[in-house]
Amino acid sequence: MFQSKPHPDSVLHSAHWGTFAAHWDGRDVEITPYPGDPAPSPILGNFRGALRHQARIRKPMVRKAWLDNGPGPQRRRIGDPFVECEWDTVLDLLAGELARVRDGFGPQAIFGGSYGWSSAGRFHHAQSQIHRFLNVACGGYVRSVNSYSAGASGVILPHILGSFEGVSRRNVTWDQIREHTDLVLAFGGMAVKNSMIAGGGISRHVEPGAMLAAARRGCRFVTVGPQRDDLPEEAAAEWLPLRPGTDVAVMLAMAHTLLAEDRHDRAFLDRYATGFEPFARYLRGVTDGRPKDADWAAAISAVPADTIRELARALVAGRSLIVVSHSLQRAEFGEQPVWAAAALAAMVGQIGLPGGGYNYALGTLGHTGRRNVAVPTPTLSQGRNPVEAFIPVARISDMLLNPGAPFDYNGRRLEYPDIRLVYWAGGNPFHHHQDLARLHRAFDRPETIVVHDLAWTPMARVADVVLPATMTLERDDIGAAGTDPLMVAMRRVAPAVGEARDDYAIFSDLAERLQAGAAFTEGRTVMEWLAHLYEPTRRALAELGADAPSFEAFWERESIELPQAPDDGGMLRGFRTDPEANPLPTPSGRIEIFSETIAGFGYDDCPGHPVWMPSTEQPDEAAPLWLIANQPATRLHSQLDFGGYSQSRKVGGREVARLHPDTAAARGIATGDVIRIFNARGACLAAAELSDAVMPGVVHLPTGAWFDPAPGGEGVDDEAGAFCVHGNPNVLTRDVGTSRLAQGCCGQVTVVECEKYAGEAPAVRAHVPPVGA
Ligand SMILES: Nc1nc2c(c(=O)[nH]1)N[C@H]1C(S)=C(S)[C@@H](COP(=O)(O)OP(=O)(O)OC[C@H]3O[C@@H](n4cnc5c(=O)[nH]c(N)nc54)[C@H](O)[C@@H]3O)O[C@H]1N2
Ligand SMILES: Nc1nc2c(c(=O)[nH]1)N[C@H]1C(S)=C(S)[C@@H](COP(=O)(O)OP(=O)(O)OC[C@H]3O[C@@H](n4cnc5c(=O)[nH]c(N)nc54)[C@H](O)[C@@H]3O)O[C@H]1N2
Ligand SMILES: [Mo]
């Protein structure tokens, strides 16, 4: 797939999935992974065939109906025709529309949350660019808070442990695990296809090697979850199949075992935690008459009771680490597994020890398990946003459908703003959001939708104004992440396709038309910006006495190594060492097993200590199977779905859904069959693959296949929901918040039925541009 030796004319570049050398021969790119990377990601293969793919947007385009009828609520459909526009014309039109909304309704009528991963470069980072533009030129915007990744954990961890970063990114490292850990108990696993990714770039994929070394030393890895391959072969792991959404029952039962057998660390709890007593009463069943013992949890989770008890004992028998992946909390009541695991780890008493305790989300991204960079990395200032209104990021359909309606969030009662204009750059809501039929209806409400993207994603196809953005390989930038030692001069590999322009160039020209040109550009060219963003890093390097080349020298060398902070366990180690001097930033300064603050909110869906609450959606006759809709192994989200590697893993152009041979046999399904996966919200087609790595009763369909409604262009029926012929699971997922506390997304699991598709399956046309393009 890759060239082993870089082409002599290749330049260094970087993506969220790895550092690489690239060479453009006028038709395609040759990619060579960074030589220092022990396990390069195959996702690099998605650059093959991508630059000049027909899915690229080549000209500014305006949706015909919007051009003809003007701004206003309207039916927007994926199959709508578009009209080409010259840059000057479209920028005049858009500047006029932005001014109309800003001056008529105020910036609180503009939704600029623009959630999405965009690309690795820190200057052309689309989120930074759009937020800076809206602040400088439009007086601000309605923003979104938290993420689809960590919607529930991002809100609950500050209440109970104090700092999200301190429990995820600056905690236990892979080096500590190699050396110290005896048992890693990973709820949701630590799939290496996930840790291949790190926002801003990743030069070395160390996880498989670290797991191999630890396993060889005798470290035991256990993955708990519906799929076996959430831990790699290197970990030589045990797999405990678990019914989706039932982890909390298992965690509580482990806690119960420690309590009943008096194996919990009472001295640790006394010194470092608060609120253990009410939790212990709940474990014993004093409050509800139901002890949370292993037999109770076995019936709920399908994990045998003896296994639960044995693992609980193993947790206190040596150095143990409890890991909870993001996936567990991307579900209804997703706050609970994050909190229950913290309570269990507090009872084990190893929080803050090398290689032990609790590391939230270790291995779900390449940001965790590493030392942090000791100097600041380049960041573009976004300016100040004076608009107060915001939404928890996954409440977008709720906001657009119910302007003025109240909602709860983290102890506050808020109101959805009334949005007239939606502006998106660097994200794909038809990838990231749930219940796409509902999202589709929600996008009928705004008066105008603007999108910058490099390709005709479904989001671009429902927009009114579509501006072609360059892709990362078509511009110069700096790649850096706070968790990677390599800072990369990302040099331009290929000329821009068609009339595509950098987001920065587009926003500069729009700002100029809105009398904010100089404030936006500060008079800098792209190269001057890169030098400007580089300077704080260079200064900090010089202060440390480290190698601190000038910008020109850095650009010439193409990369520099940044010094790393010590592997010191961060906040939790400091707390353990001296809890009086280094209290946790929680109200009590300790680990909160009971939170007065959360209890004070009075939410029945997130009470004052961790509790077991089954999802309100359970398999039934109409939808007897669990669907796992997780991160794809073949790309980052929906990015470059049309690229070489992603395409090579589809079957008949469709995404692959895995199911257990027994589940398949009961439905007469064989590997390679086109299947229809459906529930009350919609349906999608996928190519079946039988696999015993998936537990019976579960269908696994990763996200990222572009939403492709059935022929006729509509594909979204008010009655039948959305029908996607390509395999996007978000036509099936549920658009509800995790709880009133965090309002995170619940995209990870839902319930479905599936069947062999009868008749001729419609061809996938997801990557064919719309009429007029
Ligand atoms: N059912 C379900 N849904 C999920 C998840 C799940 O597990 N299950 N996971 C969720 C999670 S954790 C996340 S983070 C989200 C991810 O959701 P997103 O971040 O929205 O997904 P991406 O596909 O990364 O979208 C990035 C978009 O930016 C475009 N882009 C790239 N570079 C540039 C650029 O320089 N300029 C511009 N203008 N555009 C650019 C790409 O073409 C792409 O369309 O999805 C969430 N959705
Ligand atoms: N290749 C690739 N890697 C990625 C991404 C990508 O798009 N592609 N996205 C990145 C991003 S933005 C994020 S936020 C992270 C997300 O990281 P995660 O959310 O952790 O990743 P997922 O693959 O969605 O889920 C991991 C596993 O959890 C298991 N699981 C699902 N439900 C349950 C459950 O109820 N209980 C248990 N115990 N296990 C369950 C599934 O078997 C699944 O394979 O991944 C990152 N890594
Ligand atoms: Mo994410």
Side-chain angles (χ1 to χ4, degrees):
M1 182 170 29
F2 304 127
Q3 312 301 122
S4 53
K5 250 173 96 189
H7 188 279
D9 297 331
S10 65
V11 291
L12 203 64
H13 207 82
S14 179
H16 297 305
W17 46 91
T19 309
F20 55 96
H23 171 67
W24 168 251
D25 67 8
R27 292 170 42 191
D28 207 346
V29 276
E30 274 179 23
I31 302 279
T32 315
Y34 181 64
D37 190 341
S41 167
I43 297 177
L44 285 172
N46 282 336
F47 286 120
R48 293 289 292 184
L51 275 155
R52 296 294 180 267
H53 194 278
Q54 63 166 344
R56 292 295 306 277
I57 308 172
R58 288 171 162 78
K59 280 261 304 182
M61 305 287 277
V62 182
R63 215 162 50 80
K64 186 166 184 313
W66 186 88
L67 196 61
D68 292 346
N69 307 323
Q74 50 198 283
R75 267 207 124 171
R76 296 180 167 92
R77 288 298 174 257
I78 302 273
D80 288 350
F82 279 79
V83 179
E84 279 188 8
C85 228
E86 296 310 319
W87 270 111
D88 274 337
T89 318
V90 83
L91 291 173
D92 287 346
L93 187 71
L94 179 52
E97 176 58 4
L98 284 164
R100 178 187 77 86
V101 175
R102 177 194 63 187
D103 300 340
F105 306 98
Q108 62 275 15
I110 300 176
F111 183 64
S114 187
Y115 184 83
W117 266 65
S118 63
S119 291
R122 295 296 91 183
F123 172 64
H124 292 290
H125 182 234
Q127 266 60 48
S128 306
Q129 291 287 346
I130 185 175
H131 294 153
R132 180 179 167 85
F133 165 74
L134 291 172
N135 286 335
V136 170
C138 297
Y141 59 95
V142 172
R143 67 195 199 282
S144 56
V145 298
N146 308 133
S147 62
Y148 279 80
S149 321
S153 54
V155 175
I156 195 155
L157 282 171
H159 286 293
I160 62 166
L161 281 158
S163 148
F164 182 83
E165 297 281 308
V167 191
S168 55
R169 291 192 190 190
R170 292 162 186 241
N171 188 355
V172 174
T173 57
W174 290 110
D175 286 342
Q176 292 174 31
I177 292 174
R178 272 173 193 259
E179 210 177 318
H180 298 284
T181 315
D182 299 313
L183 168 64
V184 178
L185 177 59
F187 292 91
M190 301 185 287
V192 291
K193 61 104 178 138
N194 283 348
S195 51
M196 287 195 172
I197 305 290
I202 178 165
S203 59
R204 297 150 175 96
H205 293 90
V206 299
E207 289 78 3
M211 287 192 233
L212 183 66
R216 287 209 173 131
R217 184 185 45 75
C219 177
R220 175 183 177 197
F221 288 87
V222 180
T223 182
V224 186
Q227 303 199 82
R228 182 174 57 219
D229 39 17
D230 288 332
L231 274 180
E233 272 173 29
E234 283 86 347
E238 295 156 49
W239 174 35
L240 298 188
L242 161 127
R243 272 187 209 117
T246 64
D247 301 82
V248 172
V250 173
M251 293 169 184
L252 293 176
M254 288 179 177
H256 182 276
T257 302
L258 296 181
L259 181 67
E261 299 181 2
D262 199 20
R263 292 175 196 263
H264 57 305
D265 188 336
R266 274 188 284 177
F268 183 89
L269 290 167
D270 286 347
R271 182 147 191 225
Y272 298 99
T274 65
F276 177 62
E277 274 316 312
F279 181 61
R281 281 199 294 280
Y282 172 73
L283 291 177
R284 289 198 193 93
V286 177
T287 34
D288 58 2
R290 179 63 258 192
K292 311 303 173 298
D293 59 23
D295 296 300
W296 165 82
I300 293 169
S301 64
V303 181
D306 285 343
T307 309
I308 295 175
R309 280 187 282 261
E310 183 270 318
L311 269 169
R313 291 172 199 137
L315 282 173
V316 292
R319 185 60 51 85
S320 66
L321 178 66
I322 299 171
V323 173
V324 166
S325 79
H326 281 322
S327 58
L328 271 67
Q329 50 87 66
R330 214 177 290 112
E332 199 180 10
F333 314 130
E335 294 82 2
Q336 300 309 315
V338 180
W339 202 355
L344 173 61
M347 291 174 71
V348 173
Q350 299 193 21
I351 290 174
L353 290 180
Y358 180 33
N359 197 130
Y360 173 72
L362 180 67
T364 64
L365 279 153
H367 295 293
T368 50
R370 283 152 209 265
R371 288 162 66 188
N372 289 250
V373 172
V375 290
T377 50
T379 355
L380 178 67
S381 159
Q382 302 186 1
R384 206 182 75 81
N385 181 1
V387 175
E388 277 183 16
F390 69 88
I391 56 163
V393 67
R395 299 278 53 82
I396 177 160
S397 295
D398 286 355
M399 170 184 74
L400 295 174
L401 292 168
N402 310 299
F407 67 97
D408 288 305
Y409 170 71
N410 202 13
R412 297 171 68 184
R413 187 103 179 135
L414 299 163
E415 223 173 67
Y416 289 120
D418 188 359
I419 298 300
R420 315 257 160 179
L421 187 146
V422 171
Y423 204 144
W424 225 289
N428 181 6
F430 280 89
H431 168 78
H432 62 236
H433 200 55
Q434 287 60 60
D435 195 348
L436 294 184
R438 184 166 189 258
L439 180 72
H440 222 314
R441 281 199 300 282
F443 277 137
D444 290 346
R445 303 296 287 263
E447 293 167 10
T448 298
I449 301 180
V450 189
V451 166
H452 299 188
D453 207 300
L454 54 95
W456 279 110
T457 65
M459 184 60 197
R461 299 176 67 141
V462 302
D464 302 312
V465 178
V466 178
L467 302 180
T470 49
M471 101 180 218
T472 177
L473 296 176
E474 297 165 340
R475 60 202 184 210
D476 293 319
D477 211 329
I478 299 177
T483 48
D484 193 87
L486 198 71
M487 187 158 88
V488 181
M490 298 169 57
R491 299 177 54 156
R492 187 160 88 131
V493 176
V497 74
E499 295 182 19
R501 304 183 66 195
D502 298 348
D503 295 291
Y504 174 66
I506 301 171
F507 286 130
S508 301
D509 283 356
L510 273 176
E512 187 66 40
R513 284 167 168 79
L514 293 163
Q515 282 75 51
F520 182 75
T521 65
E522 297 180 16
R524 292 192 188 93
T525 62
V526 169
M527 266 305 167
E528 286 165 352
W529 268 111
L530 299 188
H532 176 70
L533 298 186
Y534 174 79
E535 182 54 20
T537 307
R538 193 204 59 76
R539 219 179 306 122
L541 287 170
E543 275 162 23
L544 287 179
D547 180 24
S550 68
F551 175 73
E552 290 70 26
F554 160 65
W555 197 255
E556 207 43 50
R557 280 200 228 164
E558 297 194 319
S559 69
I560 53 170
E561 290 283 334
L562 301 176
Q564 303 286 289
D567 184 8
D568 62 4
M571 173 188 82
L572 292 174
R573 180 86 51 84
F575 170 62
R576 183 178 189 108
T577 311
D578 187 345
E580 281 74 38
N582 311 307
L584 293 181
T586 58
S588 61
R590 296 175 177 201
I591 301 163
E592 303 221 343
I593 297 177
F594 185 95
S595 161
E596 298 286 352
T597 309
I598 294 175
F601 297 156
Y603 298 151
D604 54 358
D605 52 6
C606 189
H609 63 72
V611 292
W612 161 244
M613 284 180 285
S615 166
T616 56
E617 185 184 58
Q618 292 291 328
D620 59 15
E621 218 168 289
L625 306 172
W626 286 106
L627 177 77
I628 299 294
N630 72 335
Q631 315 299 318
T634 60
R635 62 194 162 254
L636 173 63
H637 312 136
S638 68
Q639 296 200 28
L640 307 180
D641 182 33
F642 50 86
Y645 182 59
S646 171
Q647 284 303 310
S648 74
R649 292 309 170 103
K650 305 218 181 203
V651 172
R654 261 172 269 274
E655 202 60 23
V656 172
R658 299 197 305 177
L659 64 174
H660 191 273
D662 296 348
T663 313
R667 291 162 178 80
I669 293 169
T671 291
D673 284 350
V674 175
I675 56 171
R676 178 174 165 269
I677 309 173
F678 58 98
N679 65 17
R681 282 177 289 275
C684 67
L685 302 184
E689 182 186 303
L690 275 48
S691 166
D692 63 6
V694 181
M695 73 189 277
V698 171
V699 182
H700 167 223
L701 177 62
T703 57
W706 291 9
F707 176 54
D708 186 355
E714 298 271 302
V716 182
D717 185 283
D718 289 343
E719 302 286 299
F723 177 45
C724 171
V725 305
H726 188 191
N728 183 330
N730 273 326
V731 298
L732 302 160
T733 52
R734 233 185 354 158
D735 185 12
V736 295
T738 51
S739 81
R740 287 193 280 163
L741 185 84
Q743 298 283 9
C745 94
C746 294
Q748 182 77 199
V749 287
T750 190
V751 296
V752 295
E753 177 55 292
C754 70
E755 64 186 13
K756 201 168 153 164
Y757 187 67
E760 185 81 9
V764 174
R765 296 178 52 81
H767 306 123
V768 180
V771 175

